Amino acid sequence: MAELEGLEFGKSDFVLLDEVTMEQFMENLKLRFEKARIYTFIGEVVVSVNPYRHLDIYGKEVIEDYRGRELYENPPHLYAVADAAYKAMKRRAKDTCIVISGESGAGKTEASKYIMQYIAAITNPSQRAEVESVKNVLLKSNCVLEAFGNAKTNRNDNSSRFGKYMDINFNFNGDPTGGHINNYLLEKSRVAQQQEGERNFHSFYQVLRGGSDGLLKSLYLQRDPAEYAYTNQGASITLASNNDSLCHKAVMAALKVIGFTAEEIISIYKILSTILHLGNLQFTSDGEHVVLVGEDTVKHISELTSTEPENTRKALLYRTVATGGGEVIEKGHNEQEASYGRDAFAKALYERLFAWIVGRINCVIQVKDYNPALHGKNTVIGVLDIYGFEIFDNNSFEQFCINYCNEKLQQLFIELILRQEQDEYQREGITWQNIEYFNNQIIVDLVEQPHKGIISVLDEACLTAGKVTDTVCLDSMNKKLGQHPHYTSRKLCPADKTMEFNRDFRIRHYAGDVTYSVEVAYLGLLENVRVRRAGFAYRQPYARFLQRYKMTCEYTWPNHLMSSDQEAVEAIVNQHGFEDDVAYGHTKLFVRTPRTLFTLEQERAALIPILVLFLQKVWRGALARMRCRKIRAIYTIMAYYKCYKVKAHFWEVERRFTNVRNMADYGKSVEWPTPPAALVQFHRITQHLYRRWWARQLIKNIPPSDMAEVRAKVAALSALSGERVDWGYSRAWERDYLAKDSPLTSTNFVRITKELKNKDPYSQVLFSCSVRMLNWFNNTKDRALLITDKHIYRLEPKKHFKVQKRISLDSVVGVSVTSGSDQMVALHTASQDDFLVHLQRGQLNPNQDRVGELVGSLTDHFTRKVRVNQLTGFYCSIFIFLYNYKYLINCIMILLFHSISDQHLCNVHYCSGFRYLILLYV
């Protein structure tokens, strides 16, 4: 710690004193106190001196400085002890306890509050609402307990007048989940009587000075504490407000946060007001009877306690006595007995009120719905805050009990810190300098030993026949304890005038003759320093030490191969060079200075992330290998299953199509099974092959004379299917309609075709039909259209089919038709000398659609003439557009437009853009 605090602040750990004497101990304590260093270490013990002023050493920044740090990493502080207890609880999953002890006014209550605040600040980093609620209740409970259990004394403005032990429960994450409060030895005598300069419990002054006018009126109270016998005994103190008004508001808010209902809160203040009214009751004698003075006060008490005035009066003036024969009688009080009974009633009432408040808080903060199997191990940090040795001008039985409790605490301190330390060294075979210290077990036995101790003597005296007085009790103790070396009284030592005859007795403590106190080098701190200096600051069984620090040594990680754990621990110590700072016991390793342990903890903390990453890597690798094996198994199963599904598909296809050759439709009605995903492409190819086979079976019986028609229909189907509703596929295609439509004209047409065949040799007529022509002037004329495998002819029927125009068939680059039922056809040529004709349906069959026949014949002719990938002359393009006879000229312009722009189109395709082009042109 010298590295953190300069020598001008003294020694931050009493173990570092040059010479362990009372003078040096006190000098170091004084120096640090003058430098505002109120905390000093003795190993894991923190010595605190009350500064009686505010010091800025408890803020959030200071909390962050101590969070998660080792005990000796920062200067001495309460936070260091609190963090060490919390860290030990989390690391080892074991309960820990913080004991706060000291003389009255030393600052124990404030220390317990700071410890609670620190634990609340470092827990629940995720800010879970339920944990924050528990923390809030635990903190607010202090405010309530201080109001009803603390009072101003001559040494302390906020002295705890009760002992408190609080358990704080934590879940496996280290977050508080609840708690429990045990209260001990409430100083109920303070309710009725206080020493000069002291006050009653804070709660009385808070309700008087901080309560609203309406509340005080409902409780029949005056705002001035001097009006009440139980609050006016320290006259100079009652005039000071002591922030009672603000504290009352804080207590009211805390009660609501904890969960007290409005009815419960008003009941609490009714009981407080009842006690104040009880203190103002006066008794006077009326002959043989005692009567109450002030009927109004009795009525107020009755109303506040919900009792009848007569029953209240009877309870205060009479007591119930059981006779030897079992009869119960009522006996009246005298004035002194009535006053004593009134005060006893007030004290008992306040004690029960305080116990109920503590119990009510416990109901709220207790751990609820806890299941270790679901929520993990529940650990506890205990905080003990009990008032220390006291000596007043008039020390009653309560002070005796308080000081006896502190003697037991001193014994515990000696057992854990001093005697147990030396006994362990001897048991483990560690050589060290023995330190003599006083064991106060003899004093504890003086008080509690059965049949011999002071408490047993008091019990026996109370059972003595006849009237039992304090003098009788003192005489009994003098007789039975007169020879005890630590007991004395004025009767046993007549020359000691500091004690009164028949009143005082004294217990001789180890630091000198004191009355319930020690002049008491308190709690053996000097001996603690000597034991810590002579001994070792840390000890641990070899197995546990090895388990915690084995990763810091290459010879012990992950598991050592040595003959014993002790040898493995020696390897760790030797590797770090700590041989001179340790000793080896039979079962434990002893470390002299905390710096050695701190160095080990630092190295361990640095290695933990590396080990975590290594373990994560190994575990992730194991998980990856397991996943890989599972995936491989899955793929193997999938492969066999795919193979099975493929074979099953083949078997099913074979089964369904085995007899298709013998079926009338050659299996067209057979439903294909759904293929597995791996065979989708193969399935499509198989279906295509089947359809080709099925088509072959159908067409192989068609006569050769009908094959031209079939090929033309197939060509038209591929070009027009889905674009025209009816394109004449259901009827026989005659192709040469001019030779068959009209007997009157057919003879002339046949003659002309023979002449043309002689003139322009061609093999066959592809199509002939009567048409109607449209010229630029919107005039129509009847004409004839003849298409051979060489030329296209436009003939004039009225002039014996005279040839008006002839163009080579090879010059045709496209055909345009509409999607409607009209017979409009445009033949596009390379020379842009297009044919725009309207096919006539014929006289015998006026509903025939001949567009499909024309398109099919031309498509089939060019398909058979040239291979598709070598087409250079004819590219058949069919454009679908809206047609209207009234706007025939627009169609002509569109066709002319496409005759120019579509010369390089490949394959048959469709264009829906004519609607846009038509509208644009219009």
Side-chain angles (χ1 to χ4, degrees), residues 86 89 119-120 123-124 128-138 167-180 361-371 375-381:
Y86 179 73
M89 178 204 70
I119 292 175
T123 54
N124 194 29
R128 290 169 51 206
E130 60 271 22
V131 177
E132 287 299 308
S133 176
V134 171
K135 287 164 47 175
N136 202 19
V137 171
L138 289 173
D167 272 335
I168 308 173
N169 297 85
F170 297 84
N171 60 16
F172 70 99
N173 284 332
D175 293 330
T177 57
H180 184 82
I361 294 174
N362 283 333
C363 290
V364 176
I365 66 175
Q366 68 181 352
V367 180
K368 301 176 179 65
D369 301 326
Y370 174 72
N371 186 345
H375 304 117
K377 179 176 173 59
N378 189 351
T379 50
V380 171
I381 292 181

Side-chain angles (χ1 to χ4, degrees), residues 617-632:
K617 180 183 70 173
V618 173
W619 179 237
R620 286 172 180 169
L623 291 178
R625 286 188 290 273
M626 286 190 289
R627 285 195 298 268
C628 183
R629 286 193 292 269
K630 289 180 180 179
I631 291 174
R632 286 178 179 173

Side-chain angles (χ1 to χ4, degrees), residues 778-796:
N778 204 18
N779 294 325
T780 60
K781 294 182 179 180
D782 292 331
R783 295 289 186 265
L785 178 65
L786 172 62
I787 302 176
T788 67
D789 55 1
K790 296 293 184 179
H791 294 89
I792 298 177
Y793 302 92
R794 187 174 70 191
L795 309 176
E796 188 173 355

